[in-house]
Structures are given as C-alpha cells and as structure tokens.
Amino acid sequence: MAAPCRRMANRSLLQFFSHFSRTAVRNTGFREFSSNSVCRASLQTKTVTETATSPWTLVAAVCLQRLPVISADLHPLEQEFKEMMLQMELERSLVSDHELRVLEESERMSRKKADDYDSDEEGSQGNQEIMLAQDMEDAWEQKLKNFQLAPRVTADIDKDLTSAQRCLADSLFLLAEQQVGREKLWLLPQTQWQEGETLRQTAERALASLPGNTAGFKATFLGNAPCGVYKYKLPKAVRTESTVGTKVFFFKAILSDSAPPTSPSLLWLKKNELQKYLKPAYSMKVDRFIINM
Amino acid sequence: MYPVLRKVSITQQAFVLNPALTVCRARPSVQHPVWCTDSVNERQYRSMPTHGIGRWKYLLPKRQSKEKKKKGRQMRPIVAATDTAYGTLNVMVSGYDMTLVEHYSQYIHNLCHRLGIKVSESYALPTKSTEVMLMQEVGTKMYVDAVLKTHERIVQLSSLNTTLCPVFMEVLLKTQPEGVQLSVNEHTEDQFKARFKARPELEGLIAQINH
C-alpha cells in the first residue's frame, strides 16, 4: 500500500508596495492609508491530504486597529524639557535672513527720522523695497489668527464608544459582540476556518461578515503570519472525539478608512478599556500582542 | 619550608584579627603573600633580560593596507525575496520638517538594530524645494508666498523576516510623527542609478559611438 503523503500548503511571498501618509487633522480626522499590492502572488493552496485530522476547530480572528491621528500629549517633565531646549536653541541660534532685514530696515527708519538725514548718503541700494519686512510679518500674523485649528480632544465624541473618531491620540481596537456556543461574548471579530482557504483569508472573511458592516471596512492586513493564538478547551461535558476545543489565531490589520460604518454591536476601545469587556483568559492572550505606545 | 612558614604567619594573623572567635578554624585569608608583587602587570625595564616578553604582533606577516575603493560606485547586490524573507527594502521617510524627518529615520535605524534587522545602507536624497505661489488679490501676477523644502531619508534593509514584518510595520506606523510620510518599496537598480548626476559628455560620446 502506498504510504500516505502529506503536502503542506505552499505560500509564495507577498510583495507589497505601501504608501502611508498623515494628513491634517481638520477635514479627514483620520490618517490616509493606501496600499497597492504590486505583485500579489497567487496563494497556491494545494489540497492537504492528512490522515489524522486534529481534534481542534480552527478559528481566525482579526485585530483591527485605528492608528492614532495626533501625537499623544507630553508628560509634564517632557514639556518642561522641551521648553528648556527651545530656549537654549533660541539663545544659541544665529540671526536669520528675515530678521537681519527687519533690523536693517528699522535702523534705516530711525535714520530717516533723524534731522540730519541725507538720502544721498543712503548707499548704493537703488531700489527700496515696496514691502517692508515688518509689514510682511504683520500680514503673516494676521493669516495665523484667521487659521482655525481643529480641536485635539472633543469630550462628547470621546465618550461615544462606537465612534471611530474618539481618542485621537490613542490607537483603538475593534470589538464585536458575537455568538459563541450558547452565549454572546465581546471579542475580536472571528469566524471558523473552512477547507481550502488560508487563515488570513478566513480573517478577511471575518471582517467582511461583521453584522454592522454593509460597506465593508477597508483594512490592510500586516503580513500573512498570525500574531497570537488563544486555545479554548470545551468543558468536559461537551467534549467529543472530534472536537476538544477551539484554537483562535489572531491577525493584525490597520484600518485605512476615514469613516468606517458604526453600529451598536461594534466598539472601538483603547487597550486599558479592553479588560472590561473581554474574558480574563482571553484578554491575557490578547494583551500580549496589542502594542500600546 | 615556605608553606609551613606561611601557615604559621597566617594563623597568627587570624588570632590577632579575631580574638573573639577562638573556636573557628584559622582560614587562610585572601591576602596575597607579601613577597609576590603583581609583576605580571609591571613592564620590565629595557635592561632587564625579560624585556619585551609577551610581544607577538611582530611575528605575524605584514598585512597590506586595504585598497580604498570609491564607496558607492558599485551597487550592493540586491537581495532577492525568498519564501520567508523580503528582499532589499527601502524605507523612505519624507517631510517638510527636517528635524522630525531625521530623528524619525534615526529611530527606524536604531529599531532595526534592536530587532536584529540588517540595515545595508542609510542615505539621504537631495532636498527638493517647492515654491508656493499665490495669485495677488488685485491683478494677475503671482507672488511667492512660501518656499517649502521636502527632505527625504532612506533606510535600506537587506532582509526582513516575514514573521517580524507585521511587528516592525506596526511599530513604525504607531510612532510616525505628524507631518512625516512613510513609504516602503523594493529597491531597484533604477533607484540606485537615479542618485547619480547625469553626465552629458559621456552620453554624447556614447551616442557618437553608437551612430
């Protein structure tokens, strides 16, 4: 009898060409993010012929993050240090061209106002500038006053947990309320793995099949490798021969949409708020790969 | 002879130092014996017969000084991508504020050292100046409103593990400062050639030869 052969699913490398940019907070309130895969190699999934099927059900989950839009507020110590450094740099710096011009022109004005002013002695500068440097400075000041900055922190949006525009200085993670077994739990969106697809495709499917997701989240997955795993053994009463429990593989993705669809069953939470909604064992595993800077 | 003497002297010392501990056995202390100076570290004077003992570099064959090639003329070979690692990647950081751009590129470089990613090169592209011209309110003439300078820095990574890539990218994205654009592409020979100045005489001669 021929020995059973097992072939691993062969995945060629994904070569990506990404462009990330931070735009002004004003209009979008979000970071633009675009990625075009130049040659996304087709994933060759060969059929895996295994004799022994594992007793674990495989599930892929997606950890969708909204990156921070503005930089975090400075610690008071950092603020003091920054001010000190600015002061030091100002004291050590040389006078710039514009400042030299201002000084020259103020000198010239004071000489003009003196009684013994002789315009012939003024020197070889034939053409007097139309716009004095001081006038230019005043015009710039006016422009600055007219410019409206968007607020960094809006208290009411911050309290709304379903909005993706809250807490612009932190990174937010998407949590969905899903039915697992008999109860409804808050967890990172997940679906079960099906034959013939890669785990990353399962994670993409999980994101697309979210209930509040009519338009679809535009997300970019960072790589094919999962970032974390959570093992869940079913209670002994429910365990059978073929199912001992579930293994959940987490994939990281970045939200590239500025206005994602909102729904009451989807929450955007910071890392410290996640603990209130996740089960302790689950949250322990999830905390390991969630980076909070 | 000597060992016996030593033991005696030390036990005497022990008794002197610890009069209270009569029961304890006299342990030889860690002090060096008096007559043994640390002559290992002292250099011998030139008249001493042992002068120069320990020299060995003069025995090695003479090495030619490295011929300095003009760095940068030859391109470093582009690493091809394999199944588990990306090839030569260029992480380009660009922006208007030079301090932010430089500090961010230095941060990326240090992060690569920390994570064990090999950095093959780290260079800057020439600064591009953009003049912002505004139409005058009265009339059709345009006047220069501002001059914006775009600075670009490139950190070239020779090989990046696919397992490390998501972590690396996430850290980069989370620490990206405001006003700085980040872009990751593959390194091509054209990008390398674009850094050199055009040589019109050479191109003219080549065109003449080809004619």
Side-chain angles (χ1 to χ4, degrees):
Chain A
M1 239 188 340
C5 63
R6 175 203 282 217
R7 283 174 290 160
M8 299 292 289
N10 197 2
R11 266 188 238 160
S12 352
L13 193 66
L14 200 88
Q15 289 157 339
F16 63 91
F17 186 108
S18 338
H19 179 69
F20 316 93
S21 70
R22 270 192 190 246
T23 56
V25 182
R26 256 221 259 168
N27 295 324
T28 58
F30 200 75
R31 189 199 301 217
E32 272 170 23
F33 187 107
S34 67
S35 92
N36 347 315
S37 19
V38 170
C39 28
R40 185 184 257 220
S42 61
L43 299 160
Q44 305 149 22
T45 48
K46 296 187 186 148
T47 50
V48 180
T49 51
E50 286 179 61
T51 46
T53 48
S54 95
W56 299 88
T57 42
L58 296 181
V59 171
V62 63
C63 171
L64 185 64
Q65 311 179 42
R66 188 221 66 189
L67 295 170
V69 180
I70 54 178
S71 51
D73 283 333
L74 293 174
H75 193 259
L77 185 68
E78 288 175 339
Q79 185 68 35
E80 277 183 37
F81 183 70
K82 178 179 168 184
E83 280 164 21
M84 186 187 81
M85 289 305 290
L86 282 177
Q87 183 68 25
M88 279 174 70
E89 279 171 18
L90 182 69
E91 286 169 9
R92 284 190 198 169
S93 66
L94 300 172
V95 180
S96 72
D97 287 340
H98 173 78
E99 284 175 333
L100 272 177
R101 230 181 107 185
V102 169
L103 286 172
E104 270 177 24
E105 282 173 8
S106 63
E107 247 183 75
R108 207 191 303 155
M109 294 307 260
S110 61
R111 265 185 282 146
K112 258 193 191 170
K113 287 184 187 142
D115 289 333
D116 51 349
Y117 175 68
D118 196 356
S119 65
D120 296 334
E121 282 180 4
E122 205 35 46
S124 53
Q125 302 176 8
N127 44 350
Q128 290 251 318
E129 278 97 13
I130 308 161
M131 283 270 290
L132 290 178
Q134 194 59 44
D135 294 343
M136 280 166 50
E137 261 195 48
D138 294 335
W140 294 335
E141 287 258 9
Q142 272 302 112
K143 259 200 206 168
L144 183 64
K145 278 192 198 149
N146 293 339
F147 183 74
Q148 295 294 333
L149 285 170
R152 280 173 71 98
V153 176
T154 24
D156 26 323
I157 301 187
D158 278 357
K159 285 193 203 127
D160 178 20
L161 293 175
T162 58
S163 147
Q165 314 299 333
R166 65 185 291 252
C167 299
L168 294 173
D170 300 300
S171 43
L172 299 179
F173 303 92
L174 181 69
L175 225 60
E177 192 168 26
Q178 290 186 324
Q179 190 90 24
V180 170
R182 247 170 287 151
E183 37 184 83
K184 275 205 145 195
L185 295 173
W186 282 104
L187 21 83
L188 300 173
Q190 65 185 38
T191 44
Q192 194 157 349
W193 174 72
Q194 284 162 359
E195 287 279 340
E197 67 173 4
T198 61
L199 275 177
R200 178 175 154 162
Q201 283 171 342
T202 318
E204 285 166 359
R205 206 162 41 89
L207 199 55
S209 65
L210 278 177
N213 201 8
T214 45
F217 287 114
K218 287 196 204 72
T220 317
F221 277 78
L222 301 169
N224 292 337
C227 55
V229 67
Y230 172 66
K231 220 164 60 171
Y232 173 69
K233 270 192 175 167
L234 296 170
K236 286 221 171 103
V238 194
R239 247 182 255 186
T240 61
E241 278 284 324
S242 60
T243 46
V244 170
T246 44
K247 281 190 182 169
V248 186
F249 292 94
F250 299 100
F251 285 84
K252 274 204 180 149
I254 306 273
L255 185 70
S256 46
D257 207 356
S258 58
T262 54
S263 107
S265 62
L266 300 175
L267 293 187
W268 292 95
L269 300 174
K270 294 191 276 197
K271 184 173 178 181
N272 43 11
E273 293 164 355
L274 277 179
Q275 270 124 29
K276 279 186 262 173
Y277 284 83
L278 296 176
K279 295 238 152 148
Y282 188 82
S283 130
M284 221 169 59
K285 293 287 175 168
V286 164
D287 271 348
R288 293 184 70 182
F289 60 79
I290 288 193
I291 306 175
N292 197 18
M293 303 231 219
Chain B
M1 180 73 162
Y2 277 152
V4 173
L5 266 181
R6 195 209 283 188
K7 220 196 278 180
V8 166
S9 70
I10 283 174
T11 48
Q12 278 179 353
Q13 270 183 351
F15 278 124
V16 161
L17 290 171
N18 309 321
L21 305 164
T22 47
V23 189
C24 80
R25 227 183 290 163
R27 269 177 284 131
S29 58
V30 196
Q31 303 160 15
H32 292 289
V34 180
W35 62 84
C36 181
T37 53
D38 52 343
S39 54
V40 184
N41 296 334
E42 278 173 3
R43 282 216 198 125
Q44 296 301 319
Y45 193 65
R46 275 179 257 182
S47 60
M48 291 280 281
T50 49
H51 174 70
I53 203 168
R55 274 175 70 208
W56 55 272
K57 274 227 172 120
Y58 68 98
L59 295 169
L60 292 178
K62 281 252 154 84
R63 220 166 48 154
Q64 262 88 37
S65 60
K66 287 184 207 167
E67 287 149 22
K68 279 191 187 167
K69 282 192 197 161
K70 271 203 183 161
K71 204 168 82 164
R73 281 279 158 183
Q74 306 293 327
M75 186 172 76
R76 262 187 229 209
I78 300 182
V79 179
T82 69
D83 252 356
T84 46
Y86 291 97
T88 315
L89 289 179
N90 276 353
V91 178
M92 186 168 88
V93 180
S94 60
Y96 295 132
D97 189 358
M98 175 144 98
T99 49
L100 278 181
V101 168
E102 283 228 351
H103 280 243
Y104 189 49
S105 73
Q106 284 168 15
Y107 173 80
I108 297 178
H109 204 144
N110 284 329
L111 184 71
C112 292
H113 282 316
R114 269 237 168 173
L115 296 177
I117 305 171
K118 259 193 259 177
V119 174
S120 61
E121 265 183 63
S122 169
Y123 54 86
L125 294 180
T127 323
K128 299 184 189 139
S129 297
T130 324
E131 276 193 353
V132 176
M133 310 199 83
L134 282 182
M135 287 280 288
Q136 270 185 347
E137 279 148 31
V138 184
T140 48
K141 213 170 95 168
M142 302 241 274
Y143 68 95
V144 178
D145 189 36
V147 176
L148 297 172
K149 293 195 187 151
T150 312
H151 307 269
E152 284 179 9
R153 301 279 181 276
I154 291 192
V155 180
Q156 199 174 81
L157 315 173
S158 61
S159 75
L160 180 64
N161 262 338
T162 34
T163 44
L164 190 56
C165 173
V167 179
F168 179 64
M169 286 313 306
E170 202 189 337
V171 172
L172 246 55
L173 287 169
K174 289 210 166 160
T175 50
Q176 190 180 352
E178 293 137 323
V180 164
Q181 276 87 36
L182 174 72
S183 149
V184 181
N185 353 348
E186 282 174 0
H187 184 61
T188 56
E189 211 173 305
D190 296 332
Q191 278 186 349
F192 178 73
K193 291 266 168 22
R195 285 177 72 194
F196 291 104
K197 275 203 233 178
R199 291 150 104 191
E201 319 100 19
L202 187 66
E203 281 163 21
L205 288 173
I206 291 174
Q208 275 185 5
I209 293 171
N210 286 343
H211 261 294

